[in-house]
Amino acid sequence: MELPGLAFAVWMFTSFYVSVDGYPNGKVREACTSMIPRHGSSPQRSPEHIITVNGTEFKPGDNIEVQLSGPDFEGFFIQARDAEDLDSPAVGSFVLVDQRHSQLLTCGRTKNSAVSHTSKTKKKGVKVYWIAPGDAPKHVQFLATVVKKYKTFWVKIPGPVVSQPIAPFSTTPLYTTSEAVLTSHLVSFLTKPFNASGCGNTKFCIRNPSNCDPGSASCFFLSFQQEKSSVLIEMSGASEGYLAFALSYDQWMGDDDAYLCVNEDHHVSVSTAYLEGRRPPVLDSKNALEDVSWRLVDGVLQCSFRRSIHLPAYKQRFNMDASYYIFLADGEVGEGGSIYKHHRQPLITSGMYNVTSIPQDIGGSRSPRLIKAHGALMFVAWITTASIAVIIARFFKPVWCHSFLFGKEIWFQVHRMLMLTTVMLTSISFVLPFIYRGGWSKQAGFHPYLGCSVMALTIFQPLMAGFRPSPHAPRRQLFNWFHWSIGTTARILAVVTMFLGMDLPALDLPDPWDTYTMIGFVAWHVGVDVLLEIHSYCLIRKVELIEDDRVQILQSLTSAEAEGHLFKQIVLTIYVCGNVVFLIVFLAAINQI
C-alpha cells in the first residue's frame, strides 16, 4: 500500500514542478510558439507596457528600432510575426543594444528571431533593432510577453504594425546580422567578411593577434592593396563604437593622418580626420574617400574604402607611397557622434612601413618595447631575486652558517648577490618609462608615485646595509629592525605597484587572469613563509625538549638540525621553481601583447 502512495506523491511533485517551471535566465525557446511562460497561473488582461517603433514602413534589409517600456518588469520575450497570421513563426532577426539585460534566441529556423531577458533584474525598458528579411510579409506586427512578477505577466502584448511600401528598394547601407538576406541593390554593403588570403602577396596587412582570421571577433585587421593610382583599404575589428587607423611620422599621437569607421545608432560612416596633439579628432567635412562599404555583424565592424595615393587638393592627407608608423585603435562613440579616447593602448607597428611597396603580413603591439622591458625587469626583480633573497636571509642562516664563499657565510653572499641584482634591475627598469614618455606621466594614476617610493627604498636599503654595526654592537638590534622594516615595506609597495601597473593602457595584461596570477604569487610566497616559520618553531621546540631530557644531547641535536636543514632545502627548491613558473607566465603574457 505504501508504493502506490509514493508513486502518487512523485507524480504530483513532477506535475507541480513542470507546471511552474520558469525561465529566470531568459532561455525561453520552449515558449517560442505560444509565448506563454510556464508560471502556473493565467496571464493578465489589461497590459501595462507598450511597444513603440521608429517607423511604419520597411524594406528588406532595413532596421527598425523597437522599444518595450512601462512599469518595472523582470522578464520579457519579443518577436515579430506576420500581422495577417499571428500564429505563424517569427519573422526577421534582432540586434541587441544592451547585452547585459537582453539576449538573442533562435525560434524555429530563423536565427536571432527573438529577444529575451538575461536575468530577473528589474528593468524599465528595453531597446532592440529588428532587421527585415528579404522574404518578409507585407505587414509585420511586434508582440511581447512581459513578466512583472512570477505570477503577474501579460502574453502577446500587441505592438505597432509596420508595412512594406510599393516603392523600390533603397541603396543606403543597412545594418544586418549574419542571417540577413542581401539584395543586389545594396551595392555599398559588404556581403561577406574580409579574408587574409592575399596578405604578404598582393596586399600589405597588419593583424593582431598575428595570423588571425579577419572574420573573427578577436582579430583586428588592416590591409592596403594598391590598384594603379589608388589604394584599397580594409579595416576590421570588434567594436561597439569606432575603428580607426592613422599614419604617423613617430610613435606618438599628434600631427597624424587618421581614418575612422564610426558606428552611430547602427549606421556606419567612414571619415577622415587630422589629429592635432592629443585632442579628440575632428572629422573632416570634405571626404576624399571613394567606394565606401561597410558591414556590422555580431559586434564585428568592417569597412573598406579607396583613396588616391596622392591627394594634392587635401593638404592634411599624407601621400600613401611614403613610410609611416601605423596606428590601429578602437573606442566608444558619444552623443552626436563625438569620438571618445580609445580605452586601451592603440596597436602600433614596430617600424615605419610603405604600404604601397613590397606587400607584407606583419603584426603590431599594443605595448611599446620600453614599457614591455620595464614590466619584464620589474617582474624578474621582485618575483624572483628579491623574494628568494628574503627567504634565504630569514631561514637559511643556520643551514649555511658553516659554509663560506669569498670569506663570508654563503647565505650572506647569496642574499647580497640577489639583492644587488634586484637593485640593478629595478634601477634600469625605473628609467625606461621616463625615456619612453620623455618625462613624467600624468595619466598613470598612483603607479609612478609608488614606483618612485619603491626605487627610493631600494636604493636606501643597500646604502644602510653598508653602515651596519658589528654583530655584537649595541645598535645592531636597531639596525636589524630598520633593515627588516624598510625591506618589507619596499616589497609590499612593489607588489601593489605591479598590481596597478598591469592594467595601465601601456601594458594592459589580459584581464582578469593577470590579477588572479599576481594574487596567486602573493599567496604562494606568504604560504611558503608561514610554512618555514612553523617548521622553525617546531624545530626549536624539539631542540628544547632534547635539552631538557639531557640524554644524548649532541647526537640528538645534530640529527634534529640535519632533518630541519634537509626540509628547508627541499622547500627552497620547490619555492624557487614556483617563482620561476610565475615569472615565465608573466613574461609570456608580456610577449603576447
Side-chain angles (χ1 to χ4, degrees):
M1 293 298 292
E2 294 181 357
L3 185 59
L6 177 62
F8 178 78
V10 171
W11 177 82
M12 287 293 291
F13 173 80
T14 304
S15 300
F16 177 78
Y17 179 82
V18 172
S19 66
V20 300
D21 184 24
Y23 306 95
N25 62 358
K27 303 294 186 180
V28 294
R29 292 188 181 90
E30 292 82 357
C32 277
T33 302
S34 66
M35 298 186 69
I36 300 176
R38 297 179 181 179
H39 289 188
S41 60
S42 301
Q44 304 298 308
R45 291 180 177 271
S46 302
E48 300 178 353
H49 305 79
I50 60 172
I51 305 172
T52 57
V53 296
N54 66 342
T56 58
E57 293 185 350
F58 71 92
K59 295 178 287 295
D62 277 357
N63 59 316
I64 301 292
E65 180 183 289
V66 182
Q67 292 197 55
L68 173 64
S69 58
D72 289 354
F73 56 95
E74 295 179 352
F76 64 92
F77 189 39
I78 301 175
Q79 285 187 7
R81 295 190 178 184
D82 187 344
E84 299 177 357
D85 182 10
L86 293 180
D87 292 328
S88 61
V91 174
S93 56
F94 288 88
V95 175
L96 302 181
V97 174
D98 185 357
Q99 297 183 2
R100 296 174 302 171
H101 299 129
S102 56
Q103 61 183 327
L104 297 173
L105 297 178
T106 297
C107 285
R109 298 181 179 179
T110 307
K111 186 177 180 181
N112 302 336
S113 55
V115 185
S116 71
H117 54 282
T118 57
S119 68
K120 295 174 62 177
T121 304
K122 290 188 176 181
K123 314 156 189 68
K124 290 186 178 294
V126 175
K127 182 169 75 171
V128 295
Y129 285 88
W130 177 74
I131 312 303
D135 57 349
K138 294 181 180 180
H139 307 284
V140 174
Q141 185 171 17
F142 296 97
L143 303 175
T145 291
V146 178
V147 178
K148 186 176 182 179
K149 294 181 179 179
Y150 189 82
K151 296 287 186 178
T152 306
F153 58 88
W154 295 263
V155 174
K156 289 186 178 180
I157 298 174
V161 176
V162 294
S163 305
Q164 295 193 58
I166 304 177
F169 293 133
S170 168
T171 58
T172 305
L174 302 170
Y175 180 85
T176 186
T177 65
S178 55
E179 293 297 318
V181 178
L182 304 171
T183 70
S184 60
H185 298 277
L186 303 174
V187 294
S188 53
F189 184 83
L190 295 170
T191 59
K192 57 183 179 180
F194 300 141
N195 62 76
S197 59
C199 290
N201 296 318
T202 59
K203 56 186 179 182
F204 186 101
C205 297
I206 301 171
R207 293 192 271 176
N208 180 253
S210 299
N211 301 318
C212 64
D213 179 9
S216 169
S218 61
C219 182
F220 283 85
F221 175 79
L222 179 63
S223 72
F224 303 85
Q225 185 172 8
Q226 182 178 358
E227 297 177 353
K228 297 182 180 180
S229 60
S230 66
V231 176
L232 177 64
I233 300 170
E234 298 175 336
M235 182 163 50
S236 174
S239 177
E240 297 294 334
Y242 70 87
L243 283 177
F245 81 89
L247 306 176
S248 178
Y249 291 106
D250 54 34
Q251 291 185 304
W252 293 96
M253 179 179 172
D255 301 325
D256 305 324
D257 181 15
Y259 301 80
L260 299 93
C261 297
V262 182
N263 172 20
E264 185 181 4
D265 292 332
H266 304 282
H267 180 87
V268 177
S269 60
V270 182
S271 304
T272 57
Y274 184 75
L275 304 181
E276 296 182 1
R278 302 181 68 85
R279 289 178 292 181
V282 178
L283 304 183
D284 295 335
S285 57
K286 294 183 178 181
N287 208 330
L289 307 180
E290 302 173 347
D291 298 340
V292 176
S293 301
W294 60 270
R295 185 174 187 262
L296 188 54
V297 177
D298 300 330
V300 178
L301 172 59
Q302 297 185 324
C303 61
S304 70
F305 52 90
R306 186 187 309 277
R307 62 147 286 184
S308 298
I309 295 177
H310 301 98
L311 292 170
Y314 298 85
K315 296 182 180 180
Q316 294 180 330
R317 302 281 75 77
F318 295 176
N319 292 333
M320 298 294 291
D321 56 357
S323 295
Y324 307 99
Y325 289 101
I326 303 173
F327 291 61
L328 182 59
D330 64 288
E332 297 180 354
V333 177
E335 294 293 334
S338 57
I339 305 299
Y340 290 159
K341 179 183 176 182
H342 42 79
H343 52 78
R344 58 175 174 169
Q345 186 82 357
L347 181 74
I348 307 174
T349 57
S350 58
M352 302 179 73
Y353 293 93
N354 182 347
V355 297
T356 62
S357 183
I358 302 174
Q360 298 185 55
D361 187 6
I362 65 172
S365 175
R366 294 189 181 273
S367 180
R369 290 180 178 177
L370 288 177
I371 300 300
K372 283 186 175 183
H374 166 75
L377 291 176
M378 283 298 186
F379 281 128
V380 173
W382 295 98
I383 286 183
T384 53
T385 57
S387 300
I388 296 172
V390 169
I391 291 292
I392 288 175
R394 177 71 182 88
F395 299 104
F396 281 80
K397 288 181 183 180
V399 178
W400 294 338
C401 61
H402 301 298
S403 302
F404 293 87
L405 180 66
F406 302 117
K408 296 284 186 179
E409 289 104 332
I410 192 170
W411 74 264
F412 176 77
Q413 294 287 42
V414 173
H415 172 77
R416 181 166 62 178
M417 178 189 68
L418 291 174
M419 278 304 184
L420 289 177
T421 303
T422 300
V423 174
M424 179 186 67
L425 293 176
T426 304
S427 301
I428 296 173
S429 177
F430 179 78
V431 176
L432 297 181
F434 290 96
I435 297 175
Y436 171 70
R437 292 290 182 186
W440 185 265
S441 174
K442 298 180 180 180
Q443 301 176 343
F446 290 104
H447 180 78
Y449 297 97
L450 292 176
C452 289
S453 301
V454 172
M455 187 71 254
L457 294 174
T458 303
I459 294 296
F460 182 71
Q461 185 78 328
L463 291 178
M464 184 178 65
F467 295 95
R468 66 183 181 277
S470 61
H472 303 290
R475 294 178 297 171
R476 183 58 182 247
Q477 286 295 108
L478 183 63
F479 165 82
N480 289 342
W481 189 89
F482 272 107
H483 190 64
W484 174 87
S485 60
I486 291 174
T488 302
T489 303
R491 289 166 55 215
I492 293 174
L493 288 179
V495 171
V496 173
T497 306
M498 286 190 290
F499 265 111
L500 297 177
M502 290 188 301
D503 290 326
L504 288 177
L507 191 61
D508 195 21
L509 295 181
D511 288 324
W513 79 263
D514 57 342
T515 301
Y516 294 152
T517 305
M518 182 58 73
I519 292 174
F521 164 71
V522 173
W524 168 253
H525 179 79
V526 172
V528 170
D529 201 308
V530 171
L531 176 64
L532 290 175
E533 286 285 1
I534 294 174
H535 174 264
S536 297
Y537 173 79
C538 294
L539 184 61
I540 291 173
R541 290 290 299 156
K542 185 175 183 179
V543 170
E544 289 176 350
L545 291 174
I546 292 175
E547 289 179 344
D548 290 341
D549 291 341
R550 305 292 182 183
V551 178
Q552 295 181 345
I553 294 176
L554 182 60
Q555 182 179 356
S556 299
L557 282 173
T558 304
S559 176
E561 288 180 352
E563 292 176 5
H565 295 172
L566 178 61
F567 178 81
K568 287 183 178 180
Q569 290 172 351
I570 293 174
V571 171
L572 178 63
T573 302
I574 297 174
Y575 177 72
V576 171
C577 293
N579 284 24
V580 171
V581 170
F582 279 107
L583 179 63
I584 291 174
V585 170
F586 280 115
L587 294 183
I590 291 175
N591 185 58
Q592 290 296 320
I593 58 177

